[in-house]
């Protein structure tokens, strides 16, 4: 029995309660100093797993994990390089697959890009590299056609499922994505990612223009629970997703202050939903930016319950609601909010 077969057997016996998961081994070298510490992050369903690895002699490493379906792997180090990066600094990004023994070789010059490595026996990673090349074509129209051909030719692949997931997150051509998902084979329709896509489609339908925005409740800066439906009674209200650490969000705040001060007396209000984790920084930003409207947060960052339920993964993001709670505009920037409120309320 090979060493890898033995590991699989032991894993199957000791993980009987997680039969859907399969073991993988990732081992190899990273061309850097011995004893350097790296973080290997991958996802299992909605959960993220991070293995902290100290490189051995010659930059060698080895990790064992369990995943249900192909997963993106992020290899990172402590961030000492880019003050604009929140969290660790990602050096490599690739794909691992369940039931595989992958050999990984990371090269020097990782500033050249996240793909500066080799990984064995990963069809998903190979397809991701093919997909990336399509964006480097000189002719934009040819690039678009090539992307469409790629999706159609690999509609039976997990990587294309990931591509469609990304399009959903970015609100790109939802009817086309819906059609492509319906034509995917059964083995993909049974995956967690596919079910996530269907759920996201439902949510997107529920937060489209003309839909009633879902009600929610979170704690304010005094730890009192605030419900959207109580705040928005007989008002036009902007639901604004932001964070103290988000530069573009902070840049938008003067425009919100202007709109609020001009139209508050005419029935306009704002509720800010913060994706902060640090309570003190959240409250300080509210004070510094003179945001004298309603504020709530569960201080869980991008795991904020409201943002997560709506698949909001980038900020700033906002929704303008009428007094009945219907969405009349989304992602309003700059002076557009003041102009739009002028048309509605003047």
């Amino acid at each position: 029995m090979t060493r890898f077969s033995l590991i699989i057997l032991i894993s199957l016996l000791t993980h009987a309660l997680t039969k859907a998961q399969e073991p993988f081994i990732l081992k190899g070298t990273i061309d850097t100093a011995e004893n350097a510490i790296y973080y290997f992050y991958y996802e299992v369903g909605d959960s993220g797993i991070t293995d902290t690895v100290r490189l051995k002699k010659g930059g060698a490493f080895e990790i064992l994990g369990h995943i249900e379906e192909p997963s993106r792997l992020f290899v990172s180090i402590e961030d000492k390089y880019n003050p604009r990066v929140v969290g660790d600094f990602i050096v490599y990004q690739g794909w691992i697959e369940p039931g595989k023994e992958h050999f990984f070789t990371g090269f020097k010059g990782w500033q050249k890009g996240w793909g500066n490595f080799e990984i064995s026996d990963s069809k998903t990673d190979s397809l991701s590299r093919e997909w990336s090349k399509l964006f480097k074509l000189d002719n934009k129209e040819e690039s678009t056609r090539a992307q469409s051909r790629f999706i159609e030719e690999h509609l039976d692949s997990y990587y294309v499922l990931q591509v469609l997931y990304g399009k959903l997150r970015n609100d790109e051509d939802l009817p086309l994505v819906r059609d492509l998902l319906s034509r995917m084979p059964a083995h993909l329709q049974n995956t967690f990612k596919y079910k996530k896509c269907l759920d996201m489609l439902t949510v997107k339908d529920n937060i489209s223009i003309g839909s009633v925005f879902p009600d929610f409740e979170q704690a304010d800066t005094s730890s009192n629970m605030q419900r959207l439906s109580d705040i928005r009674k007989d008002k036009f209200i902007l639901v604004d997703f932001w964070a103290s650490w988000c530069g573009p969000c902070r840049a938008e705040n003067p425009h919100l202050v202007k709109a609020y001060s001009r139209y508050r007396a005419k029935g306009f209000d704002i509720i800010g939903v913060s994706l902060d984790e640090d309570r003190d920084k959240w409250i300080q930003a509210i004070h510094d930016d003179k945001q004298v409207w309603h504020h709530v947060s569960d201080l869980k960052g991008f795991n904020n319950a409201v943002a997560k339920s709506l698949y909001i993964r980038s900020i700033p993001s906002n929704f303008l609601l009428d007094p009945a709670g219907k969405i009349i505009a989304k992602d309003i920037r700059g002076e557009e909010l003041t102009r739009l409120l002028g048309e509605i309320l003047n």
Side-chain angles (χ1 to χ4, degrees):
M1 179 179 291
T2 67
R3 180 172 176 273
F4 185 53
S5 299
L6 180 60
I7 290 175
I8 292 178
L9 178 59
I10 294 172
S11 299
L12 290 174
L13 292 174
T14 57
H15 293 269
L17 295 178
T18 57
K19 293 180 182 179
Q21 297 183 10
E22 295 183 55
F24 72 88
I25 287 179
L26 180 69
K27 61 183 178 181
T29 58
I30 297 177
D31 194 356
T32 186
E34 295 174 12
N35 299 318
I37 295 177
Y38 281 75
Y39 308 103
F40 289 72
Y41 173 89
Y42 55 94
E43 293 180 343
V44 180
D46 262 338
S47 300
I49 296 175
T50 301
D51 283 336
T52 302
V53 176
R54 185 181 294 274
L55 299 184
K56 301 175 183 177
K57 186 176 180 179
F61 71 90
E62 181 173 332
I63 64 172
L64 166 67
H66 296 79
I67 52 179
E68 299 175 0
E69 52 200 61
S71 177
R72 277 193 298 179
L73 172 75
F74 298 90
V75 183
S76 61
I77 54 178
E78 183 181 352
D79 180 25
K80 298 178 182 178
Y81 307 94
N82 190 342
R84 294 177 299 175
V85 172
V86 178
D88 297 321
F89 193 93
I90 298 174
V91 179
Y92 306 114
Q93 177 182 322
W95 284 86
I96 52 177
E97 298 179 349
K100 298 289 184 66
E101 183 173 16
H102 296 300
F103 291 89
F104 181 102
T105 304
F107 306 117
K108 285 183 178 179
W110 40 261
Q111 294 94 334
K112 295 179 181 178
W114 293 346
N116 194 28
F117 67 92
E118 291 179 354
I119 185 169
S120 70
D121 201 20
S122 175
K123 178 183 177 182
T124 312
D125 192 76
S126 296
L127 288 176
S128 74
R129 291 173 185 263
E130 288 183 36
W131 176 255
S132 297
K133 291 177 182 178
L134 302 181
F135 291 86
K136 298 177 182 179
L137 298 176
D138 294 333
N139 187 300
K140 185 175 181 180
E141 291 184 0
E142 174 57 29
S143 175
T144 301
R145 287 194 295 268
Q147 291 170 41
S148 297
R149 286 196 301 270
F150 179 95
I151 290 173
E152 288 288 351
E153 291 171 2
H154 301 286
L155 202 55
D156 63 344
S157 72
Y158 190 90
Y159 186 73
V160 164
L161 178 57
Q162 175 66 29
V163 169
L164 299 182
Y165 177 78
K167 287 182 176 295
L168 281 172
R169 286 183 54 174
N170 295 326
D171 287 326
E172 294 180 28
D173 206 342
L174 300 189
L176 175 61
V177 172
R178 194 187 303 270
D179 173 64
L180 290 168
L181 285 170
S182 70
R183 294 195 281 118
M184 294 193 112
H187 75 275
L188 290 175
Q189 294 192 21
N190 289 327
T191 62
F192 175 85
K193 183 71 71 176
Y194 187 91
K195 294 170 184 175
K196 196 81 168 175
C197 287
L198 294 186
D199 184 56
M200 199 185 309
L201 276 171
T202 300
V203 170
K204 296 289 185 181
D205 289 339
N206 290 338
I207 57 173
S208 60
I209 301 296
S211 299
V212 175
F213 193 84
D215 200 12
F216 65 84
E217 183 180 54
Q218 280 197 352
D220 62 18
T221 56
S222 299
S223 299
N224 297 315
M225 299 305 292
Q226 300 289 339
R227 184 175 291 277
L228 171 63
S229 54
D230 293 335
I231 295 171
R232 68 166 174 76
K233 287 181 178 178
D234 302 320
K235 297 177 183 177
F236 288 85
I237 188 165
L238 186 76
V239 183
D240 181 48
F241 293 87
W242 75 294
S244 66
W245 46 261
C246 168
C249 302
R250 303 292 294 274
E252 285 294 325
N253 283 338
H255 299 292
L256 300 188
V257 170
K258 179 181 178 180
Y260 184 75
S261 62
R262 182 172 296 184
Y263 292 107
R264 178 184 182 185
K266 294 187 176 184
F268 173 63
D269 210 340
I270 302 175
I271 179 169
V273 183
S274 170
L275 274 59
D276 274 285
E277 295 183 4
D278 187 307
R279 180 182 181 82
D280 292 337
K281 291 181 179 178
W282 170 42
I283 294 176
Q284 187 64 47
I286 292 172
H287 174 77
D288 291 345
D289 292 0
K290 299 180 174 59
Q291 302 177 68
V292 293
W293 46 82
H294 306 276
H295 289 277
V296 297
S297 180
D298 58 12
L299 298 175
K300 294 181 180 179
F302 272 108
N303 285 319
N304 178 285
V306 181
K308 196 171 181 179
S309 70
L310 301 178
Y311 290 98
I312 292 173
R313 297 299 299 169
S314 63
I315 50 176
S317 179
N318 59 49
F319 301 81
L320 181 62
L321 316 182
D322 70 7
K326 289 185 178 180
I327 302 169
I328 57 176
K330 297 167 62 174
D331 293 330
I332 313 166
R333 300 284 184 268
E335 294 295 324
E336 179 64 16
L337 177 61
T338 301
R339 185 197 66 77
L340 185 57
L341 290 172
E343 293 179 357
I344 296 172
L345 297 173
N346 281 337

